[in-house]
Amino acid sequence: EVQLVESGGGLVQPGRSLRLSCTASGFTFGDYPMSWVRQAPGKGLEWVSFIRIKAYDETTEYAASVKGRFTISRDDSKGIAYLQMNSLKTEDTAVYYCTRALSRGDAFDIWGQGTMVTVSS
Amino acid sequence: EIVLTQSPGTLSLSPGERATLSCRASQSVSSSFLAWYQQKPGQAPRLLIHGASSRATGIPDRFSGSGSGTDFTLTISRLEPEDFAVYYCQQYGSSSWTFGQGTKVEIK
């Protein structure tokens, strides 16, 4: 079964850091771009970050709202994608979904169950 | 950044009826990189349509997508009870991905 499982969410104070992990199974992880999408409580979906596959030098993209604070990475040998979140703000509070992107990178076909990140003092 | 505007905000329909959801982009969406997702309460979104009109794996044929440029449509031909949910459109272009604000399809 193709599956993504996020971990690492929790309650954190503003200005602190948190690292999310996304463990993949059921497919060849290194063949797919990966992305993070978040959803604030009661709100819509917001794309956060994207990482390409090794053949494209694992280049990364970020939403303007997180650029310079968040870093996406991947470990193909372990089948894990990461989201390092620094200088967290209250507006980063959301459910964070790990997603697998289609090979073209244009849409997200597999989603994890999400992990909640709450930024509050 | 391309802004996607979905309409209506809420669609009240009965099972068996046809649902037509609209997604309008502030600029032309390149190569029809337009997707649709369904989200039910407490669940992750599910990809329905990509490339504007291609159904994702396992999606019933009552779901169809159409459109190009700046105007796109998701049609559910006959609503089943499990189709009542929130639907989002999403575009990709210039290394940026954006979502519409969503359309809620509720039972009338």
Side-chain angles (χ1 to χ4, degrees), chain A residues 37 39 43-47 50 52 61-62 97 102 104-109 111-114, chain B residues 31-33 35 37 39 43-47 50-51 88 90-92 95-97 99-101:
Chain A
V37 175
Q39 187 169 36
K43 303 297 185 182
L45 302 170
E46 179 188 17
W47 167 72
F50 181 92
R52 296 178 179 85
E61 309 291 347
Y62 298 94
Y97 293 103
L102 298 177
R104 295 199 309 178
D106 59 310
F108 311 117
D109 66 337
W111 295 63
Q113 85 286 354
Chain B
S31 303
S32 295
F33 284 154
Y37 300 84
Q39 187 178 33
Q43 296 184 19
R46 176 175 70 146
L47 177 66
H50 60 92
Y88 294 94
Q90 170 254 312
Q91 71 82 36
Y92 162 65
S95 298
S96 178
W97 293 255
F99 290 88
Q101 83 280 16

Side-chain angles (χ1 to χ4, degrees), chain B residues 22-34:
Chain B
S22 174
C23 177
R24 178 161 290 177
S26 59
Q27 304 170 45
S28 184
V29 177
S30 59
S31 303
S32 295
F33 284 154
L34 193 288

Side-chain angles (χ1 to χ4, degrees), chain B residues 2-70:
Chain B
I2 295 179
V3 176
L4 299 178
T5 302
Q6 294 186 238
S7 61
T10 302
L11 200 51
S12 298
L13 295 168
S14 301
E17 290 194 292
R18 181 184 188 89
T20 303
L21 286 68
S22 174
C23 177
R24 178 161 290 177
S26 59
Q27 304 170 45
S28 184
V29 177
S30 59
S31 303
S32 295
F33 284 154
L34 193 288
W36 290 93
Y37 300 84
Q38 176 194 68
Q39 187 178 33
K40 298 179 182 179
Q43 296 184 19
R46 176 175 70 146
L47 177 66
L48 299 175
I49 302 286
H50 60 92
S53 60
S54 298
R55 272 188 299 277
T57 303
I59 301 303
D61 60 7
R62 65 179 180 273
F63 291 92
S64 63
S66 62
S68 64
T70 60

Side-chain angles (χ1 to χ4, degrees), chain B residues 6-8 27 35 46 64 72 76 87 89 103 105-106 108:
Chain B
Q6 294 186 238
S7 61
Q27 304 170 45
R46 176 175 70 146
S64 63
F72 298 86
I76 311 171
Y87 293 83
C89 59
T103 290
V105 178
E106 66 176 21
K108 186 174 182 180

Side-chain angles (χ1 to χ4, degrees), chain A residues 3-7 21-25 78-81 98:
Chain A
Q3 196 173 9
L4 298 172
V5 178
E6 303 95 335
S7 60
S21 299
C22 168
T23 302
S25 59
K78 295 181 179 178
I80 301 177
C98 174

Side-chain angles (χ1 to χ4, degrees), chain A residues 5-54:
Chain A
V5 178
E6 303 95 335
S7 60
L11 174 63
V12 62
Q13 293 179 325
R16 304 299 289 262
S17 298
L18 205 61
R19 188 177 81 158
L20 305 183
S21 299
C22 168
T23 302
S25 59
F27 65 98
T28 304
F29 181 76
D31 287 350
Y32 291 88
M34 298 296 294
S35 189
W36 290 89
V37 175
R38 69 184 180 184
Q39 187 169 36
K43 303 297 185 182
L45 302 170
E46 179 188 17
W47 167 72
V48 173
S49 185
F50 181 92
I51 185 166
R52 296 178 179 85
I53 61 174
K54 191 180 296 289

